[in-house]
Amino acid sequence: MNDRRNDKVYKLVLTGLMAALCYVAFTYLKIPIPTFGGDYVALHIGNAFCVLAALLLGGVYGGLAGSLGMTIADLIDPVYITSAPKTFVLKLCIGLISGFVAHRIAHITEEHDNAYLFRWTLLASIAGLGFNVIMDPIVGYFYKNYVLGVQSDAAKIMSTWAAGVTFINAVAGTIVVVVVYLAVRPVLKKAGLFFRI
């Protein structure tokens, strides 16, 4: 019982740490690109840490880490503050999808060779970030148009920009996830800090 309780506490601590990494990666490691009417999109690797959290902690905890970290980043940014509810839902979905592929289909926390881990880490990243590439512009359009009251033409322009930048972020994020996960996994295993999900 005590070990399970310690595991839960450790998992919550790691969830907070991954949320903080998502926040830092978006807030301090971004390149803003102005778009329309004072709005902007940003090149960043924040979503990579959403996926990394899902690979390390599972879809639910990883999704929560990503959604909390990125939503807090939005709430602090005056341009992105209105996007916070959309961010919370989409980043949670990134984690849930990546975690599902990595843990329910591929079982990446079991013993596998590096080629297997590379392939499934890549596929889990593509699944989660690919979802975001498709859904972020679509949800963004409807959210801006119907919730925020942005004119339809302006919302289309903003969504088009978002689609291109989200794709670039997804490609960069996938590379970061695969490299970092494959580097961190053996270190965590050696230290006895690796979760079997």
Side-chain angles (χ1 to χ4, degrees):
M1 175 73 175
N2 194 21
D3 287 340
R4 289 188 61 102
R5 188 172 174 192
N6 287 338
D7 280 352
K8 282 195 170 194
V9 170
Y10 178 64
K11 222 172 187 181
L12 285 173
V13 169
L14 280 182
T15 301
L17 174 65
M18 294 307 295
L21 287 173
C22 290
Y23 168 81
V24 167
F26 179 75
T27 303
Y28 299 108
L29 302 175
K30 70 180 171 192
I31 301 170
I33 302 169
T35 56
F36 189 81
D39 201 6
Y40 71 88
V41 293
L43 293 171
H44 66 88
I45 56 168
N47 295 335
F49 289 98
C50 297
V51 175
L52 187 61
L55 297 181
L56 294 172
L57 302 169
V60 174
Y61 283 94
L64 285 173
S67 62
L68 290 173
M70 299 292 279
T71 299
I72 291 169
D74 277 3
L75 290 171
I76 293 173
D77 187 322
V79 174
Y80 273 96
I81 192 168
T82 57
S83 298
K86 173 184 76 91
T87 295
F88 185 86
V89 172
L90 289 175
K91 302 322 173 196
L92 178 63
C93 290
I94 290 173
L96 292 172
I97 292 166
S98 298
F100 179 80
V101 172
H103 299 291
R104 298 294 176 240
I105 295 174
H107 305 284
I108 64 168
T109 56
E110 295 174 7
E111 290 303 318
H112 299 288
D113 61 34
N114 284 339
Y116 182 92
L117 291 172
F118 173 82
R119 182 172 57 252
W120 282 103
T121 302
L122 180 65
L123 289 172
S125 300
I126 290 170
L129 296 175
F131 162 84
N132 196 54
V133 167
I134 295 166
M135 294 308 294
D136 186 71
I138 293 170
V139 172
Y141 168 77
F142 287 107
Y143 184 77
K144 286 182 187 296
N145 190 237
Y146 294 106
V147 176
L148 300 179
V150 175
Q151 290 183 353
S152 184
D153 291 340
K156 282 181 189 175
I157 293 169
M158 291 176 190
S159 294
T160 302
W161 274 90
V165 171
T166 302
F167 177 76
I168 294 168
N169 289 343
V171 171
T174 298
I175 294 166
V176 168
V177 168
V178 172
V179 169
V180 172
Y181 182 78
L182 292 177
V184 166
R185 185 179 197 269
V187 174
L188 290 175
K189 285 183 79 173
K190 188 174 182 180
L193 300 173
F194 187 71
F195 281 112
R196 295 219 180 263
I197 298 170

